[in-house]
Amino acid sequence: FNKKQIMKKLLLLLSITLLTLSCSTDETQVEKPNILIIGNSIVLHPPNESIGWNHNHGMAATSSDKDFCSIVAKNIPHNNMERFNMWAWEYRWDYQVIEKKTNPCDILIVKVGENVVDRQNFKEHLNNLVNLYRDSNTKVYIVSTALGYMVTDLDNNMEEFCQEKGYIFVDLRSMQDDQTNFAWGEWEENGGIGCHPSDKGMQFIADKILEKI
């Protein structure tokens, strides 16, 4: 080999080595996505003895690992997950109850609508809410309503909102077709809890979200 051939081989080996190290570094330095899920009692409900609810997770899952937030988090590797209940914001647009996020938000899942009274101004306040939490690179998922006794007109508003803003709409409207998606049987004495998703319904919600992610 002459000197030029030797130099070419050395440069080739050096390039391969650097490429290998670069790929290895990228694999080990993948950042954990931060997931924030905001909503109402389907997302999180603290214990309340007055209604017979003694859990601290999404109503009416039978255990914390069976609510849709936990299922979604379990199926997205290497994540930090926060969840907030803001039913009072739904009910009277009360921004004082909104909790502050502790991490940058990579994935924002919004599960609201079931407690909304002022439907006329819903899209305006939904936009305000999303803007309070999203960062410049946040992927936003708006999840339609999931009640055991009705499909609301808000679902159409949510879908239109996502089209206008470029967000991702997660459609749960077919959930109503199977009433075992709701906890009526487990909570016959309390319809307020029974209209919430059963374990099967929670899995349904999680699956629909994961399909989009």
Side-chain angles (χ1 to χ4, degrees):
F1 293 106
N2 58 38
K3 287 184 178 180
K4 286 186 177 180
Q5 289 176 317
I6 292 172
M7 287 300 295
K8 284 182 179 179
K9 286 185 176 290
L10 287 173
L11 288 171
L12 179 61
L13 286 170
L14 180 60
S15 298
I16 293 171
T17 302
L18 289 173
L19 180 61
T20 303
L21 286 172
S22 175
C23 292
S24 175
T25 302
D26 288 344
E27 289 177 0
T28 57
Q29 292 184 353
V30 173
E31 293 185 2
K32 296 180 179 180
N34 297 315
I35 302 173
L36 176 60
I37 306 177
I38 58 177
N40 47 46
S41 54
I42 298 175
V43 169
L44 177 67
H45 197 297
N48 186 339
E49 290 185 8
S50 68
I51 61 172
W53 178 254
N54 300 312
H55 308 288
N56 190 33
H57 54 251
M59 192 179 274
T62 57
S63 61
S64 59
D65 62 325
K66 292 181 179 178
D67 69 14
F68 87 86
C69 300
S70 298
I71 297 170
V72 168
K74 183 174 64 177
N75 283 275
I76 301 177
H78 314 297
N79 68 86
N80 300 305
M81 190 267 282
E82 289 185 286
R83 61 171 106 177
F84 301 147
N85 180 326
M86 50 186 62
W87 71 270
W89 172 86
E90 288 182 296
Y91 191 69
R92 55 180 180 269
W93 306 136
D94 184 355
Y95 288 86
Q96 299 300 315
V97 303
I98 292 179
E99 299 181 57
K100 293 182 179 180
K101 62 184 180 182
T102 57
N103 296 297
C105 183
D106 301 305
I107 297 174
L108 174 63
I109 299 172
V110 183
K111 178 70 201 81
V112 297
E114 286 81 3
N115 299 308
V116 169
V117 176
D118 176 15
R119 295 167 182 252
Q120 184 176 354
N121 297 302
F122 173 66
K123 284 171 67 175
E124 174 191 344
H125 288 283
L126 180 59
N127 187 53
N128 293 342
L129 180 69
V130 171
N131 287 337
L132 284 172
Y133 285 111
R134 75 177 182 89
D135 299 307
S136 58
N137 296 319
T138 301
K139 291 185 178 179
V140 179
Y141 299 82
I142 308 293
V143 185
S144 70
T145 57
L147 281 175
Y149 54 88
M150 66 176 179
V151 175
T152 76
D153 57 327
L154 296 181
D155 296 327
N156 293 332
N157 290 335
M158 290 180 194
E159 189 170 17
E160 290 172 3
F161 176 73
C162 288
Q163 291 170 352
E164 293 167 3
K165 298 294 182 179
Y167 301 149
I168 300 164
F169 179 64
V170 180
D171 192 349
L172 303 182
R173 285 173 283 200
S174 62
M175 186 174 173
Q176 308 288 330
D177 298 339
D178 182 356
Q179 286 298 300
T180 63
N181 283 322
F182 304 94
W184 298 115
E186 294 92 334
W187 294 92
E188 293 180 2
E189 75 286 358
N190 191 326
I193 298 177
C195 67
H196 287 73
S198 61
D199 290 348
K200 181 180 177 181
M202 288 291 190
Q203 184 69 56
F204 180 95
I205 297 171
D207 289 344
K208 288 294 186 180
I209 294 171
L210 291 168
E211 284 175 11
K212 297 291 186 176
I213 295 177

